[in-house]
Amino acid sequence: MPEKTIYMDNAASTRLDKRVLDAMVPFFFDTYAVATSEFGYSMGIEAKEMLEEARVKVSKAMKGSPEELIFTSGDTESSNLALKGVAAALGTKKGKHIITSKIEDFPVLNSAKSLEKSGFKLTYLGVNGDGLIDLGELESAITPETILVSIQHANQEIGTVQDIEAIGSICHGKGTLFHTDATHTFTRLPIETDRMPVDLVTISGHTIHGPKGIGGLFVRKGTPLNKWMDGGYQEFNLRAGLENIPGAVGFAKAIELVTSEENERLKGIRDALIERFLKEITRTTLNGHRTKRIPQNANITFHSVEGESITLHMDMRGIEVSTGSACFSRSLEASHVLMGIGGNHERAHGSIRFSLGRFNDISEVDRVVEAMSEVVTRLRAISPLDKREDEA
Amino acid sequence: MRFPYNEKVLEHFKNPRNVGKIENPDGKAIVGSPACGDMVAVFIKVEPTEHRIIDAKFESYGCASNIATGSIITELAKGKTIEEAKLISWQQASEALGGLPKIKGHCSVLAVEGLREAITNYEEKHGLVKNKEPTTAEVIKRRLKNVMNPITGLDIVRGELVKDIRIENGNVDIYVDLPEAHIFAGNIRDEVKERVETLWDVKKVEIHFNDQ
C-alpha cells in the first residue's frame, strides 16, 4: 500500500471541506433559481436572501459592511477589477500613475502591465532580502498623479507579510487609494477594514478550503471604481454576470470554519518544518521573513539542486510541493518573487514551497523532512556545483 | 499516479547511469549555468589510437529531463569513436528515452552540447583540431559565455565583467572588472583559464582583476 499522499501546495489550491459542500448542495438542487428582486418569485427571493446572507458573513469576516463586498469569480477577477476599475475611474480625472511591487502575484502584476501598455505609468517597487518593500521609497514614489497603490498583504510564494497599515496610512496621507491582495492572508491574519486604511481588498475562496470560482473584492464606500465587464446590473452594478450563489454560500461557510486554533496549529507545523530543514539539511536558506510570515507557508532554497527534480522525486514519494524553479513553470521562467528577493537564479532554482492547510498535520513533518533530506542528498551527489562549493 | 514524464525517462531520472566525475579525464566540459537554470558537466576517457570513448560520466544541476538526457547520452557515447559521438543529436537522445516533452528541449539539449564540448576539449588537448583558426578576442569571448558570475546569474561577457582581452604571441591577458577579493574571483579565474588555455595557439593565460 502506498503511503497516504501529503499535500503541501495549499497556496495553489486547497481541498474543499466537506462541510462547505454540504452547505452548497441545496443551491444546486433546491434553491437553484437566479437571485431575483423582492418582487420576483419565491425561489428567486429565497436565493437572493441566501446570497445576501453570505455577503453579510463574508463582509463581517473583514469587519466591513455588506454593501462594500462584491462577489467575483476569484482573486484574479478581483484584482483586475480593482486595478482596471480605478484606472478607468480616475485615469482621465486625476492621473495615470500606479504603484505596485515587483513581487505581486500575476493578477495584480499583469493587470499593471496591461495598463502600462494602454498609457498608464507604473512604478514597480523592489523589495529587500526578506521580501519587504521600503516604506520611504513608497512615500517618495507617490506623486499628485498617483491614483492607486497596490501592494499585497502577503506573498504567495515566500509568505512575507507587508505592513499594510503603514502602507495604507502613507497612501491616505498623500490622498492616494490603496488596494491590497489578501488572497493568502484572509482568515489567516486579521483584516479589519473598519480600522485599517485600505480601500480595496482582494479575497478568494479556494485558498481556504472553499470552492474554486468564488472570490470577493472589498470596495470601501465612495471609492471610485468603474465596471469593466458588461452585462447585467448585479453586484451593485460593478460586476455583471449571474451570481454564483452556491459559491457565495460555500465561501461564507469556508470562512466560518477557519479558527484561530487552526491558524496556531498551522504555525506550529510551519515552524517545525523551517527549523528542521535549516538544522538537518546543510546549505539551506529560508526565503521570506522569519516572523512577518503567514502561518501556512515555509519556503526554503536547497542550494546546488534544482527544484523540478526535487518535486518529481517528492511526488514519487507521495508528497506534493512546488518550486520557483524555471523548469517547473509553464512559462519556463524562474519565479519573479525569488528573483526579486535574491537577485539571482540560483535562489529560485532550488526553492521549494511548503504551503499548509487544514488537512495537514504535525505528524507529517517527519516524513516530509526525511524525504527532503534523502532527495537533496541524492541530487547533490550528482550535482557539479556541490563539490565545487565544498572544495571552496 | 500521473507523472509528467514517460516510464523510461523516469527510470533514468531515478537511477541515472554514469553519474560522477572521471579523475584525470581526457576531455571535459561544463555547459549551462545556474543563470539559465540547468548546468551539466561531462567527462570522457578516450582510447588514443582510434579515439574511441571508453568511459563517459556526467554531473547535473538540473531538472528531470536534464538528468535523464545526461544519463542516456553518456550511455550512447560509450564505445563510439569521437567522430561518431559528435553526431549524436538531441533527437536521438530523446528517442532513446522514448520521447521528451518538446518544451524541455532547452534543458535536455545541454547534455548533448556537453558531450560535444568535452570531445572538442579532448581534440584541443591532443592536437586534433583540424580547423585552426587563429585565436582572436571574439573566439575567447565565445568561450567565456559559459563562465558565470553566480551573484548576478549572468555570464561574464554579457555581465560586462570582461573589460579587455589582449593577445600577443600566444599570450592572452584578460582584464576582469572584479576585485581580487571578490568571493568568486578564484572560481572565475580558474574557469576562464581552463576554457582558454586549451586553444591550439594559446601558450599562457593571465587574468587581471581591477585592483591589480
Side-chain angles (χ1 to χ4, degrees):
Chain A
M1 264 284 282
E3 285 177 283
K4 187 174 158 276
T5 297
I6 295 178
Y7 180 78
M8 289 197 175
D9 199 21
N10 289 279
S13 200
T14 57
R15 176 176 140 192
L16 190 78
D17 192 301
K18 178 73 169 51
R19 293 165 289 181
V20 170
L21 180 65
D22 292 342
M24 292 168 71
V25 166
F27 298 92
F28 289 110
F29 299 105
D30 305 325
T31 315
Y32 46 80
V34 65
T36 61
S37 77
E38 61 213 300
F39 310 112
Y41 44 82
S42 308
M43 203 203 287
I45 294 168
E46 200 185 318
K48 173 76 175 161
E49 276 173 9
M50 297 317 287
L51 174 68
E52 294 316 316
E53 198 181 304
R55 195 186 310 279
V56 168
K57 285 180 184 166
V58 177
S59 59
K60 254 192 188 160
M62 51 203 316
K63 300 231 163 95
S65 62
E67 316 80 78
E68 293 175 312
L69 196 269
I70 297 169
F71 283 117
T72 67
S73 63
D75 56 291
T76 297
E77 191 192 328
S78 298
S79 293
N80 266 272
L81 176 56
L83 271 78
K84 294 174 185 172
V86 168
L90 294 179
T92 51
K93 286 187 194 140
K94 189 186 175 209
K96 285 186 178 285
H97 182 227
I98 295 172
I99 299 171
T100 184
S101 85
K102 286 183 180 162
I103 64 165
E104 297 295 314
D105 209 345
F106 292 115
V108 168
L109 203 58
N110 288 340
S111 292
K113 285 184 184 160
S114 132
L115 286 168
E116 207 171 5
K117 276 186 205 143
S118 58
F120 282 81
K121 204 174 151 283
L122 266 292
T123 300
Y124 300 92
L125 298 175
V127 292
N128 68 13
D130 287 328
L132 291 166
I133 65 155
D134 184 295
L135 297 178
E137 201 185 326
L138 166 68
E139 186 154 18
S140 51
I142 300 175
T143 73
E145 276 75 51
T146 309
I147 51 172
L148 181 69
V149 172
S150 177
I151 303 288
Q152 60 188 188
H153 192 188
N155 186 265
Q156 61 284 0
E157 292 181 37
I158 58 171
T160 295
V161 180
Q162 305 287 344
D163 186 350
I164 56 166
E165 292 187 53
I167 294 169
S169 299
I170 291 170
C171 295
H172 288 181
K174 295 213 160 193
T176 300
L177 295 172
F178 175 44
H179 164 249
T180 190
D181 174 2
T183 305
H184 298 279
T185 51
F186 182 50
T187 72
R188 298 291 182 210
L189 293 177
I191 295 160
E192 296 167 349
T193 57
D194 59 341
R195 55 170 200 88
M196 288 181 174
V198 290
D199 303 294
L200 299 139
V201 183
T202 289
I203 56 174
S204 186
H206 78 101
T207 46
I208 53 168
H209 307 284
K212 300 179 200 335
I214 187 82
L217 181 67
F218 166 83
V219 185
R220 186 175 297 284
K221 264 177 221 138
T223 304
L225 190 73
N226 279 19
K227 179 177 181 173
W228 67 286
M229 190 161 64
D230 292 316
Y233 300 94
Q234 295 89 348
E235 300 297 306
F236 314 108
N237 197 22
L238 281 171
R239 197 269 181 187
L242 177 75
E243 296 99 338
N244 178 358
I245 298 174
V249 169
F251 192 11
K253 185 69 187 176
I255 292 164
E256 186 190 308
L257 294 174
V258 180
T259 61
S260 51
E261 290 76 28
E262 175 172 288
N263 291 334
E264 280 306 307
R265 190 174 66 78
L266 297 185
K267 208 188 263 182
I269 305 174
R270 172 198 78 181
D271 290 342
L273 284 171
I274 293 174
E275 195 184 309
R276 290 194 54 187
F277 283 137
L278 297 183
K279 206 169 80 187
E280 295 175 31
I281 303 182
T282 57
R283 287 187 296 113
T284 41
T285 306
L286 174 69
N287 296 315
H289 198 280
R290 181 66 192 85
T291 52
K292 290 174 186 168
R293 186 173 199 100
I294 47 174
Q296 72 274 30
N297 169 295
N299 188 315
I300 310 273
T301 291
F302 300 87
H303 295 279
S304 303
V305 288
E306 190 281 323
E308 191 228 27
S309 289
I310 298 176
T311 57
L312 184 54
H313 268 303
M314 292 297 275
D315 192 9
M316 289 171 171
R317 287 157 181 75
I319 299 167
E320 315 283 16
V321 292
S322 72
T323 167
S325 166
C327 305
F328 187 75
S329 74
R330 275 181 228 182
S331 60
L332 292 180
E333 274 176 29
S335 148
H336 65 285
V337 176
L338 275 304
M339 294 294 287
I341 59 165
N344 64 41
H345 278 77
E346 206 263 338
R347 187 80 170 264
H349 210 46
S351 69
I352 300 290
R353 178 183 69 184
F354 306 84
S355 56
L356 309 169
R358 178 164 306 143
F359 303 104
N360 290 114
D361 189 77
I362 190 84
S363 64
E364 295 172 339
V365 171
D366 277 344
R367 212 177 113 200
V368 172
V369 173
E370 278 158 27
M372 275 305 299
S373 181
E374 190 225 318
V375 167
V376 169
T377 305
R378 202 180 163 122
L379 290 172
R380 277 183 184 164
I382 69 168
S383 168
L385 275 184
D386 196 35
K387 277 140 261 174
R388 271 212 307 202
E389 281 175 23
D390 285 348
E391 281 161 17
Chain B
M1 299 293 244
R2 180 79 178 75
F3 293 114
Y5 298 99
N6 72 43
E7 283 297 323
K8 187 141 191 208
V9 176
L10 289 176
E11 215 285 306
H12 277 267
F13 168 67
K14 274 195 284 188
N15 304 302
R17 282 47 150 189
N18 314 312
V19 159
K21 272 192 173 66
I22 294 178
E23 290 305 320
N24 307 315
D26 297 318
K28 75 164 195 174
I30 297 174
V31 291
S33 71
C36 30
D38 291 351
M39 197 167 154
V40 182
V42 178
F43 307 85
I44 51 172
K45 199 88 191 159
V46 183
E47 177 280 312
T49 51
E50 277 190 298
H51 304 303
R52 196 172 287 282
I53 297 173
I54 49 174
D55 197 11
K57 285 198 188 316
F58 82 102
E59 292 179 320
S60 160
Y61 168 53
C63 62
S65 51
N66 182 287
I67 292 173
T69 317
S71 173
I72 202 80
I73 200 102
T74 46
E75 283 288 271
L76 292 173
K78 277 202 275 186
K80 287 198 169 63
T81 65
I82 55 171
E83 291 305 324
E84 291 163 352
K86 270 187 220 172
L87 300 175
I88 301 171
S89 64
W90 179 81
Q91 282 79 3
Q92 281 172 293
S94 171
E95 269 167 38
L97 285 169
L100 280 168
K102 278 230 169 59
I103 191 163
K104 290 290 185 177
H106 86 122
C107 331
S108 41
V109 79
L110 262 189
V112 180
E113 283 172 16
L115 175 63
R116 285 184 191 161
E117 285 207 22
I119 293 171
T120 305
N121 179 254
Y122 169 79
E123 290 176 326
E124 286 176 353
K125 287 206 290 193
H126 294 81
L128 299 171
V129 181
K130 286 170 201 122
N131 178 19
K132 290 192 173 175
E133 58 167 333
T135 296
T136 60
E138 277 316 301
V139 171
I140 290 174
K141 273 190 187 168
R142 237 183 286 144
R143 293 260 154 153
L144 298 185
K145 265 191 358 205
N146 279 313
V147 180
M148 287 294 146
N149 175 7
I151 296 194
T152 58
L154 278 177
D155 70 76
I156 60 173
V157 177
R158 270 189 306 167
E160 295 179 352
L161 290 181
V162 179
K163 284 295 157 203
D164 198 9
I165 298 172
R166 291 182 204 162
I167 307 160
E168 216 183 311
N169 301 326
N171 294 316
V172 177
D173 290 277
I174 299 171
Y175 294 82
V176 178
D177 193 13
L178 280 179
E180 202 186 4
H182 186 271
I183 59 164
F184 291 109
N187 286 34
I188 289 173
R189 178 187 11 229
D190 294 348
E191 269 199 55
V192 170
K193 279 195 159 196
E194 210 165 79
R195 281 168 205 273
V196 179
E197 269 172 353
T198 55
L199 287 164
W200 69 278
D201 58 348
V202 170
K203 292 189 206 120
K204 195 163 164 240
V205 180
E206 287 251 35
I207 317 296
H208 306 273
F209 293 101
N210 62 12
D211 51 353
Q212 281 178 317

